[in-house]
Amino acid sequence: QKEVEQNSGPLSVPEGAIASLNCTYSDRGSQSFFWYRQYSGKSPELIMFIYSNGDKEDGRFTAQLNKASQYVSLLIRDSQPSDSATYLCVVLGGGADGLTFGKGTHLIIQP
Amino acid sequence: GAGVSQSPSNKVTEKGKDVELRCDPISGHTALYWYRQSLGQGLEFLIYFQGNSAPDKSGLPSDRFSAERTGGSVSTLTIQRTQQEDSAVYLCASSYSRGDNEQFFGPGTRLTVL
């Protein structure tokens, strides 16, 4: 069974600091990796996706992928209170499977 | 419409009744996904459609759950003989194609089985 593991948190980070969210996955054949943000009571929305090993930066967000270690992370620089949400790590397999979602990490940015 | 729509937004039903949940994807999106999110839990994949066919039904939790999609557009998720453990938010998402980068989520249907 394909699994995506995340620390559920809550992860508390002071405003302006770097928030680091981590995720590991079990299926070595996974090809695509996504980070979704979900505010309480709302639907998930895509923040970033990454396919290749290394770093991908978009504004304050950086996704990091290490396929050898089966590890993907999301860094949020200059954290803002509005970044407080649950962050879902999502993995797309190479077969006909749908996406596999992690249970999410609850991030709290303290003003 | 501009986004994925789902109806009803809330559904309260009695144990043992059947319910139908509807999803209207973004026009032109060929891939459609159903997920379930129980209170405090992560998203649970249920089923995925490519066009009208469902190549992956592995996530359906029991044979009480079924889904169909007609005309490559609207999809209906049916739960027969509902149980209390079926209570959850049911989310639908669509994407331009299965391999597309982003899934766009609907607002969800909150199902409560009494």
Side-chain angles (χ1 to χ4, degrees), chain B residues 52-110:
Chain B
N52 289 337
S53 64
D56 187 3
K57 300 181 181 179
S58 63
L60 294 177
S62 77
D63 59 9
R64 297 186 294 105
F65 287 71
S66 63
E68 64 177 13
R69 188 181 186 194
T70 56
S73 182
V74 172
S75 176
T76 302
L77 177 69
T78 301
I79 309 173
Q80 296 177 309
R81 303 181 304 280
T82 52
Q83 304 294 312
Q84 288 183 332
E85 61 262 28
D86 299 334
S87 297
V89 175
Y90 288 81
L91 288 164
C92 174
S94 72
S95 65
Y96 184 73
S97 67
R98 183 204 168 258
D100 197 56
N101 296 335
E102 181 172 6
Q103 292 189 1
F104 293 84
F105 282 81
T109 293
R110 181 175 296 279

Side-chain angles (χ1 to χ4, degrees), chain A residues 92-105:
Chain A
L92 179 66
D97 297 9
L99 297 177
T100 302
F101 282 74
K103 293 192 185 312
T105 297

Side-chain angles (χ1 to χ4, degrees), chain A residues 23-93:
Chain A
C23 170
T24 59
Y25 59 95
S26 63
D27 181 14
R28 189 169 287 278
S30 299
Q31 297 296 316
S32 305
F33 307 86
F34 305 84
W35 283 98
Y36 280 78
R37 177 177 62 199
Q38 186 174 25
Y39 291 113
S40 180
K42 302 295 184 182
S43 298
E45 55 181 342
L46 183 69
I47 297 176
M48 289 193 71
F49 59 88
I50 187 167
Y51 301 140
S52 304
N53 278 326
D55 295 0
K56 178 181 179 183
E57 185 174 324
D58 184 2
R60 296 187 297 112
F61 298 93
T62 299
Q64 299 175 317
L65 175 61
N66 184 326
K67 289 187 178 180
S69 300
Q70 295 175 238
Y71 176 91
V72 58
S73 65
L74 178 70
L75 301 178
I76 307 175
R77 290 182 299 282
D78 188 24
S79 298
Q80 304 296 312
S82 59
D83 295 327
S84 298
T86 295
Y87 289 80
L88 302 168
C89 174
V90 184
V91 176
L92 179 66

